[in-house]
Amino acid sequence: MKRNSLYNFFNKNNDKPNSDRLPSNRFKAYFDILRNRFGKVVLLSLITTIFFLPLIIFSFFWNVYSNYSIEQFAVENSDQTLILFQKFSLISMQYLFSIPLFIIGFIGLGGTFYVSKKMVFQEGDIFLWSDFFSGVKSNIKSSLLSGVCFSVYLLIYFMNIYFYPIVSEIPFAVKIILIILLSIILVFVTSFCLFVLASASIYQFKFVPTVKNNALLAAILFPTNILMCLLSLFFFIGAFLLPYIIIQSIFLLLIILFGFSHLAISFNLYAFKMFDKHINIRYSQELTDKGLDKGQKEE
């Protein structure tokens, strides 16, 4: 087998569009990217996986250790409250230790969002490896900001989720309300972090404007942000929520081969549409509808 045969297989015809016309809207652009650059989409997700490998490996072994510890503790102790507290402690430790691993993963996502921006803007030549690490370097501040925000809130979220069942004094209805509020904040934090990554690829990073503008977008667009978080994180949500090992393994494989690229491309398409509407039309008109055929009417 030739040295570059696998790379050439994935990249065959990637940069040869089926039509000279650009897509007319961001929705069509998603399928246009998959049709014309699917090989690079797969390779981009594989490269991103390298940055998330420490988190994936740690989570796997910690879950094995955690399940064994809880089973052993349940054999020795019949008190349900103590068992729940043991579970709470192990989950809290897992997400505490995962904070630096999430940050490493988000550093990789900085490169992923940068390359997917070039795909969304229909830039002709994409040198995947060099462009990816250029994005990692140029987006490092936004990656650190979003990685810290997401991982720290994830720790807070799961500590609360697993703490409430221990406290019998809190009424059940109050627990439900608190969990709903925590979940609403989780959507806000997640969409904020994704907006930060998307904006870093096209705007100069300045801490205060970045936090203010993307927090506003995460708040005022909250209903559509819920939908976009569900769509862009579909494979991750499936792997986390479904309890069956075989299904989780399938979702994990899909994440490695496609999920990271899908996350970056789909959210970039959404974010750029929002940037066009709320920012670019006033301050950066050269970016408005970039990568689209303005001569075609959006449906």
Side-chain angles (χ1 to χ4, degrees), residues 147-199:
V148 169
C149 290
F150 183 78
S151 57
V152 169
Y153 184 74
L154 213 57
L155 169 65
I156 295 169
Y157 179 79
F158 282 106
M159 283 184 68
N160 280 274
I161 292 295
Y162 284 92
F163 179 73
Y164 294 150
I166 300 172
V167 186
S168 57
E169 289 80 8
I170 301 177
F172 180 75
V174 175
K175 291 179 183 179
I176 296 297
I177 292 170
L178 289 173
I179 290 172
I180 291 172
L181 289 174
L182 283 166
S183 299
I184 289 172
I185 297 171
L186 178 61
V187 174
F188 171 83
V189 171
T190 302
S191 55
F192 166 76
C193 293
L194 294 177
F195 273 123
V196 168
L197 288 170
S199 64

Side-chain angles (χ1 to χ4, degrees), residues 1-51:
M1 181 178 284
K2 292 182 180 180
R3 184 178 176 183
N4 296 322
S5 57
L6 181 61
Y7 180 85
N8 291 333
F9 171 77
F10 276 114
N11 284 276
K12 187 178 181 182
N13 296 326
N14 270 347
D15 294 317
K16 296 177 183 177
N18 295 329
S19 170
D20 291 334
R21 300 193 73 179
L22 295 175
S24 60
N25 56 53
R26 300 297 184 193
F27 179 78
K28 292 179 180 178
Y30 176 84
F31 299 99
D32 183 78
I33 292 168
L34 293 189
R35 183 173 65 252
N36 295 319
R37 285 174 164 165
F38 184 74
K40 284 186 177 176
V41 168
V42 172
L43 287 172
L44 178 60
S45 192
L46 288 171
I47 295 171
T48 312
T49 302
I50 296 171
F51 286 81

Side-chain angles (χ1 to χ4, degrees), residues 245-282:
I245 294 176
I246 294 177
I247 297 176
Q248 286 180 335
S249 300
I250 292 171
F251 270 101
L252 181 60
L253 180 62
L254 290 172
I255 289 170
I256 293 170
L257 293 176
F258 180 65
F260 290 114
S261 294
H262 167 76
L263 164 62
I265 293 169
S266 57
F267 201 87
N268 262 349
L269 287 164
Y270 167 67
F272 293 170
K273 183 177 177 65
M274 296 302 107
F275 295 158
D276 287 347
K277 183 177 180 181
H278 298 282
I279 300 173
N280 296 339
I281 196 168
R282 291 184 178 182

Side-chain angles (χ1 to χ4, degrees), residues 36 67 74 91 97 125 135 139 164 175 215 220 227 260 287 296:
N36 295 319
N67 291 335
I91 290 292
F97 295 151
D125 294 324
N139 291 350
Y164 294 150
K175 291 179 183 179
I220 64 177
L227 176 61
F260 290 114
L287 295 175
Q296 297 188 59

